[in-house]
Amino acid sequence: MMRNLAIFVAPFYLLTACSWGTGKLKSDWDALQDAKSVSCAEIPIRKDDLRIDRVHIVPELGPSLILEVTTRRGVKTMYHLPFRSISSMDEDTLVALPIAQDSILLGAGIWQQKAVFALKTSDRGKPTIQIRDLQSNAVLQQFSSDTKAAWELTDWQISGGKLRTLVREGKEDESLDDQPYLQLEVQLDGKGGAKPRAEPTTQVIGQAQLFADAQGGTQMVWLDRGTSDKVKEPSFQTLRWRDPKDQHSIDLGDKAPIESWAFQEGKVTNLLSYVKGDTLLWTNASIEIQRLSKSSPFQKQNQLSVPISKVHVARPLLSADPKSDYLFLPQWLDHELTVAIYKIEPTEVVHRGYRGVFKEGTSFHAAFYHDPSQETLMLMKAPANYTSRYSLCKMSL
């Protein structure tokens, strides 16, 4: 998303491990009394760096992390952060990826058995798309681009020798949520003279995500609320990559407001979870979980529901370890935050308790299974002095 220029002053940044437990509580909220402590570690940066602007998770590489960072001199840079466990993260594990100041990350993954990342940048004043080695930062492929417009990365997929990326252009006369996406496709080996193309998709607006169907094709899923001047009843839509005729709606059953949602691609079925109702006013609110087929039109196989009462919630997060699927639901009351954990069984949702008591202002960005440590981790961002710091927390299940 577009960021306003801001000046931050922060003390020397140290990697610390911490345990978010109950401690001294402000309220008598039962969830906090029962919450188990969690072990967290701050994501490291170097002493010359000021802050982390964005963290990207690369599932194919551990997962590992790509960090977009601003230095104390106001220079943009990137790091790759592979790690065996959160306790092993430190400055020495950061792989520096110096970039031009106009560079925009377009994705990362495995290509020709190499860990690579893609950038939109410029070369001798001309816009280009580069494929670089994630270890050496060497340019492996370079393609000319037709646009100098600033892009905002939403999601990506690298498979079948192609990079497919969802981006949007920043426009001063439109809210970002009203802007349709561009579907950027890059033939990574450059054979056949294929030039990267960014084609608009007028149907898809708002938050969107890419996923693979059972046939290996690329699909998009998004929550369609209409535009700011033409609001619709909320509905989830799917669309095959660059095929405007292959669009389908997901059956939601009863009509109701939708606050937030999450989608997870599974081996046997896909999962869609969303917060229905109004958790700020506590009116008919619930967390809904649908299992969907792996093939278009992604039919609903079953739907599970958990009531939400007398608590405010944030966006749900989905994750899966080798055995089970889990839902994480950040929630707060009286300025105190915790995370509820649910195990998603075939016919029921089992509450597994609460984890951590977090600072007011903490945001939760993702949950994922980390294969090297065999731990489920949560990416969070918490206020710290004059800036914010990202951390990874181990979520005992």
Side-chain angles (χ1 to χ4, degrees):
M1 60 187 65
M2 302 302 292
R3 292 183 177 84
N4 295 322
L5 181 63
I7 302 298
F8 291 89
V9 179
F12 184 79
Y13 193 101
L14 292 174
L15 172 68
T16 60
C18 58
S19 179
W20 295 85
T22 53
K24 186 176 180 180
L25 303 176
K26 300 177 182 178
S27 69
D28 296 326
W29 184 18
D30 290 343
L32 301 184
Q33 309 295 332
D34 299 335
K36 296 180 180 179
S37 63
V38 295
S39 177
C40 302
E42 290 179 10
I43 295 177
I45 52 177
R46 296 179 176 172
K47 63 182 180 180
D48 293 330
D49 297 326
L50 177 60
R51 67 178 184 270
I52 299 174
D53 297 313
R54 291 186 71 178
V55 177
H56 303 272
I57 299 168
V58 188
E60 297 85 354
L61 301 177
S64 63
L65 305 178
I66 290 182
L67 314 180
E68 295 186 41
V69 171
T70 297
T71 71
R72 295 182 182 276
R73 296 182 178 181
V75 176
K76 286 174 54 178
T77 190
M78 290 185 185
Y79 295 110
H80 179 220
L81 177 58
F83 59 98
R84 299 293 302 176
S85 66
I86 64 171
S87 61
S88 70
M89 296 189 303
D90 58 30
E91 290 188 31
D92 293 337
T93 59
L94 292 169
V95 179
L97 302 170
I99 56 172
Q101 295 306 285
D102 62 349
S103 297
I104 299 167
L105 182 68
L106 296 178
I110 300 294
W111 174 56
Q112 294 185 345
Q113 299 181 329
K114 286 185 178 180
V116 299
F117 69 111
L119 292 175
K120 180 179 182 292
T121 185
S122 60
D123 181 41
R124 300 175 185 176
K126 296 182 179 180
T128 61
I129 293 174
Q130 295 179 346
I131 311 301
R132 297 190 182 189
D133 188 295
L134 201 47
Q135 296 299 317
S136 66
N137 203 27
V139 177
L140 304 176
Q141 288 281 9
Q142 181 164 297
F143 310 88
S144 61
S145 175
D146 292 330
T147 177
K148 293 184 178 180
W151 285 346
E152 170 65 17
L153 172 65
T154 296
D155 200 5
W156 75 78
Q157 186 183 79
I158 294 179
S159 64
K162 294 180 179 180
L163 166 69
R164 290 171 171 167
T165 299
L166 275 181
V167 295
R168 284 192 284 194
E169 294 183 6
K171 296 181 181 179
E172 296 180 357
D173 59 345
E174 294 182 57
S175 72
L176 192 60
D177 279 347
D178 282 359
Q179 295 175 33
Y181 287 90
L182 298 176
Q183 301 172 93
L184 173 69
E185 184 168 303
V186 181
Q187 183 73 38
L188 295 178
D189 59 14
K191 291 181 179 178
K195 189 175 183 180
R197 294 180 297 135
E199 296 183 354
T201 170
T202 56
Q203 302 101 312
V204 184
I205 57 176
Q207 180 189 354
Q209 184 175 328
L210 297 180
F211 68 100
D213 58 25
Q215 293 72 39
T218 300
Q219 299 275 348
M220 290 172 276
V221 59
W222 77 99
L223 176 59
D224 186 2
R225 304 178 189 267
T227 59
S228 56
D229 60 351
K230 191 177 181 180
V231 179
K232 297 180 182 178
E233 286 283 348
S235 65
F236 287 100
Q237 304 285 326
T238 65
L239 179 69
R240 183 179 296 276
W241 182 264
R242 290 188 172 177
D243 186 353
K245 295 181 180 180
D246 192 0
Q247 180 175 340
H248 302 279
S249 297
I250 296 174
D251 177 22
L252 299 183
D254 298 336
K255 293 182 179 180
I258 296 176
E259 286 190 353
S260 56
W261 63 283
F263 182 91
Q264 178 175 280
E265 184 180 335
K267 293 181 180 179
V268 179
T269 59
N270 295 324
L271 286 177
L272 172 66
S273 176
Y274 55 95
V275 177
K276 185 176 76 173
D278 191 331
T279 65
L280 292 179
L281 299 178
W282 296 336
T283 56
N284 301 319
S286 62
I287 181 77
E288 304 292 321
I289 302 168
Q290 290 193 10
R291 288 192 182 274
L292 305 173
S293 64
K294 290 284 291 181
S295 298
S296 180
F298 309 105
Q299 295 178 335
K300 179 170 65 175
Q301 297 189 346
N302 73 338
Q303 182 164 342
L304 305 171
S305 181
V306 178
I308 298 173
S309 177
K310 296 183 179 180
V311 68
H312 310 300
V313 304
R315 182 172 70 92
L317 304 173
L318 292 168
S319 180
D321 65 18
K323 296 181 179 180
S324 303
D325 297 307
Y326 293 91
L327 181 142
F328 301 87
L329 190 61
Q331 47 194 257
W332 75 94
L333 191 67
D334 297 331
H335 307 286
E336 292 179 303
L337 295 84
T338 189
V339 178
I341 298 181
Y342 298 90
K343 185 179 181 180
I344 305 172
E345 302 282 9
T347 59
E348 64 177 339
V349 181
V350 180
H351 185 213
R352 301 296 294 268
Y354 302 92
R355 301 294 184 271
V357 179
F358 299 91
K359 291 181 181 179
E360 184 177 4
T362 298
S363 57
F364 302 90
H365 295 251
F368 59 93
Y369 181 74
H370 184 248
D371 191 65
S373 63
Q374 298 185 345
E375 297 276 1
T376 295
L377 305 179
M378 179 171 286
L379 174 65
M380 55 168 270
K381 181 182 180 182
N385 298 319
Y386 298 100
T387 185
S388 298
R389 297 180 180 177
Y390 284 91
S391 297
L392 289 176
C393 299
K394 293 192 291 186
M395 306 300 289
S396 58
L397 303 176

